[in-house]
Amino acid sequence: MNQVAEYIWIIPAAPLAGFVVNALMSFFLGDKASGAYKKASAIISPLVILVSFIVTLAVFIQMLGNPETDRVFSQNLYTWIKTGLVEANINLVLDPLSIILVLIITGVGFLIHLYSAGYMDHDKSVIRYFAYLNLFTFAMLLLVLGDNILLMFVGWEGVGLCSYLLIGFWFDNREYAIAGMKAFIVNRVGDFAFIIGFFMLFWGIYHYGGVPSIAFGALKDLIGKMPEWYLTIITLMLFIGATGKSAQIPLYVWLPDAMAGPTPVSALIHAATMVTAGIYMIARMSYLFAATPMTLTIISIVAAATAFFAATIGIVQNDIKKVLAYSTVSQLGYMFLGMGTGVFTTGVFHLMTHAFFKGLLFLGAGSVILATHHQQDILQMGGLRKKIPITFYTFLIGTLAIAGIPGLSGFFSKDEILWQTYSATNTYFPGLPHILWMVGLATAGITSFYMFRLLFLTFFGTYRGTETSFEEVHESPWTMTLPLVVLAILSLFGGYIGTPEALGGSNHLHHWLAPVFSAHETVAAVAENGATMVEGIAAVVPVIPVVPEAQAHAAGHAQEYFFMGLSILVSLSGMALAFLFYVVKPSIPKAIFGKVGGLHKLVYNKYFVDEIYQATFVNGTLGIRMLLNRFDQKVIDAIVNFTAVATKAVSRVHGFFDRVVVDGLVNFVASFAQHYAAVMQAWQSGLVNRYFYYILGSFIMVYVVMQIV
Amino acid sequence: MKDAIFIMVAVLAVGGAVLTAASQSIINAALGLLLSLMSVAALYVFLNADFVAISQILVYVGGIMVLLLFSIMLSSGASDVMKNNPAMKVFPALVTVVFFIGLAIYALKSARLEFFQGEYAASTRDIGHLFLKEYVLVFELISVLIVVMLVGAGVMLRKELVRKISPGKTPDASSGAPGVKNQSTQEESK
Amino acid sequence: MSPLLSENPNSYLIIAVLIFAAGMFTVLTRKNILAIIMGIELMLNASVINFLTFSFFRQQTTNYSGHIFAISIIVLAAAEAVVALSILLAIFQQRKSVMTDDISDMKG
């Protein structure tokens, strides 16, 4: 009945095949490949992603047709680890949650591959680029499709690797290479926490008992068996891993530097897919997180702080891509805020809409960059809307979406997050949800402001560019503009699947994801009702006690309308402010920045966080290295020298022994012989008379002896 | 009567020996030896050893003594008067006395000899028979010994003769081909 | 035992001992090689006396083997004296001296 499940393996296999083909071409031909090979690569690579997308679509359609309970398709490929303690197989699973992500990865991914064909057209290493891009897609799909945490981690590491390869793609430039290394190392720090997290999971299985499989489905059983403090530590570790991958405080520092890579890379990896791996991970193990409200609290706080913090930096950046990078960090903060509320649907919803409009914005930025002949400073741009209209209109749609202007996708997802944040109840800090909501609201305003600032400075006003003349600005080819248009359409209409009931929609997304998240929600509901179904959770009331709809019904739609209106107001005022500053009266910003020069400098330099990290962690590590180096020299060399000295001393003893004892012996023998000879000499007188005496003496002796014998 | 002669002979024998031992000059010693040997020959007669007595006189006195005297003369030791330090003779005398007092006591104590009252006269015929019948090996050995002695003496003294005839040319290994030198030397001497 | 001294074996033996002692004293004391040779002759003589004495006074049968031995000793003494004298003469040609002090080349 579910024959389509037999074909799930194609979804990761196609990009992998694309990677192999591209890798072989790149390996053997290198940068000296002729144009034909480059064209072939540019055709094959998007094609394989398209194949994956089609298969995913087929599964999706099948899933839609099936009843709610029968929407999990899995395919067992290979028995990987099977010991008594741990069991993990290579199984690919598509359920309502992962299919959304796979659709995004393959769909948006395909568009970006297509875009890359145009963007990287004249680059000499385009084959290598596509090889990496395909490999990335494969790893990301593995991450999402894996049915156990180990397989997910393989994908997790894989995307980290590809991120490094792609960020440092133009490694001839030293700074770009360093940016790549920075991304990988910071990721590694997060991965370390992640590993601790799932090792603790394994040990917990061993210690507290449970099914030895680590498939996600099986892990649900563990919740009852492990104590809450243990689970809290595990989830905290996993979250720290997520901060590394998804650029939250304190491990976000790699993402702005990651703009060194080609722009489509930024679009794919840092807007739509890799950075969302953290969100997906939390969503996947939602039951674990739901059982540890402490972790959820921490996630919310960190997320809100990140969102606000990154937004403030975004106001004053002048590089297109840097603005968008900080915007990404900020929006990821929103997603985590959503996850922190315990209503995991909101985070996934925002993930989806963000993929659309942020991907659109990045691709648009790439188009602008290409149009202005690799100019990235927005202060050098202006008035471009007349020259590159398609880019302009799509970019406008993206900006409207991210600002949360009603009607577009971003409005629905962001609004849902803010509403859920406000409605949440926290047992540790009762006032926290309101504070977080306020922070989120302020961030929304700031987001709107800096995005419109970007739009106005780039496309409005007069052209300020000095390196390229205005006439040379040109529109991008169809391979680039087509994805822009498609994404713009998605940004416009993609939000409607999550329309809350308050506005008349039926929140399809929430219904769609309900089977995935319902387990924990059931548990939570039971706990709230006081029944002690499971040990660990009994004493604790989770952050969100009830299903959102129930909550919404209870509170009535009035409150929801009110908050919706509030957020619209904030967004619009941000837009108006930007309009004022950058279109009507451009002199105002200069005046303001002149007055708060110091503050501006601080924010412009990203609060010197990178410098602080350099001074403390990096230099600290280097310092430890120096210490160890000195230890090596002093101690180990001392041991070696000691060996030498010891050998010398021993040899001296030997020498002494040789001189005194051995030579003494030899000399003694010689002197003994001499003395004996001296004695003998006295007997050899040469005188016959003496000799006769001796004869006499001998005769007597013989006689005596004979007498005795 | 017999006794008196015996005592006289004994005294002469021992006296001659003492003279040899104690005399200062070598000639005196030689003469003392001569006296002693003669007396001992007479003593042999007392022991009914006629043949041995005669052979003693012939060989010892007539041969060895002559040789000794010649040697003394040739070695011009006669003119020398030996100055022996009397003090140096004490120790040997002591040794001698002690040694032979002991020997004498032992010999006298342990000798079981009796005088045979019978016919005991070793005639030449008897001795000759003994030499050629029972003791023929001794006889032959003595002959060999004499031959060896002659050859040895001849060898010893032959080189001296060569050197004496041709003085100044002594065979020397360091001066050219020794064989040639030797041969020329010998041919000259011949 | 016969009262005659000449029939007493002890007297002959004493004579032999005395001559032997004299001979030994000569050898031990004198420095002249010829004197030493003389002393050796004396000692040999004394032994011959011994032999004959025992041959004469110890007769169960008519046994003259003592005489044979005596003759052998005499011949031997002669031979030895000859050789010794020839050696002495050879040395004398070289050293021009017959004192033992001068021919102690083998000293040490």
Side-chain angles (χ1 to χ4, degrees), chain B residues 16 21 24 43-44 46 67 69 80 141 145 149 165 189-190:
Chain B
Q24 299 275 347
L43 215 56
Y44 291 164
F46 271 102
L67 269 176
L69 284 166
D80 290 347
L141 280 174
L145 182 70
M149 170 205 55
I165 288 175
S189 65
K190 283 173 187 166

Side-chain angles (χ1 to χ4, degrees), chain C residues 23-81:
Chain C
M24 197 170 93
F25 186 76
T26 311
V27 171
L28 288 174
T29 318
R30 313 276 292 213
K31 289 223 170 37
N32 198 329
I33 296 190
L34 288 159
I36 294 173
I37 292 173
M38 287 184 216
I40 293 172
E41 298 304 329
L42 274 176
M43 283 195 281
L44 280 166
N45 246 307
S47 68
V48 172
I49 294 176
N50 245 357
F51 272 109
L52 287 170
T53 307
F54 286 121
S55 168
F56 182 69
F57 283 104
R58 199 179 173 280
Q59 328 156 14
Q60 287 88 2
T61 59
T62 309
N63 191 355
Y64 304 118
S65 35
H67 296 248
I68 306 293
F69 212 84
I71 293 172
S72 311
I73 289 177
I74 290 172
V75 171
L76 191 132
E80 172 247 327

Side-chain angles (χ1 to χ4, degrees), chain A residues 275-359:
Chain A
V275 293
T276 57
I279 307 285
Y280 171 71
M281 187 265 299
I282 294 182
R284 226 330 144 236
M285 295 195 273
S286 54
Y287 39 85
L288 280 182
F289 285 91
T292 58
M294 181 50 133
T295 309
L296 286 179
T297 314
I298 295 176
I299 293 178
S300 313
I301 298 174
V302 169
T306 308
F308 183 75
F309 180 75
T312 55
I313 301 180
I315 300 176
V316 295
Q317 293 301 314
N318 290 330
D319 185 328
I320 282 192
K321 288 174 72 171
K322 283 258 164 46
V323 175
L324 293 176
Y326 284 106
S327 165
T328 305
V329 176
S330 180
Q331 295 301 308
L332 284 169
Y334 266 112
M335 288 183 227
F336 278 103
L337 186 62
M339 302 305 258
T341 60
V343 185
F344 302 105
T345 321
T346 56
V348 176
F349 188 24
H350 197 59
L351 184 154
M352 196 177 78
T353 58
H354 178 264
F356 296 148
F357 56 71
K358 191 47 70 62

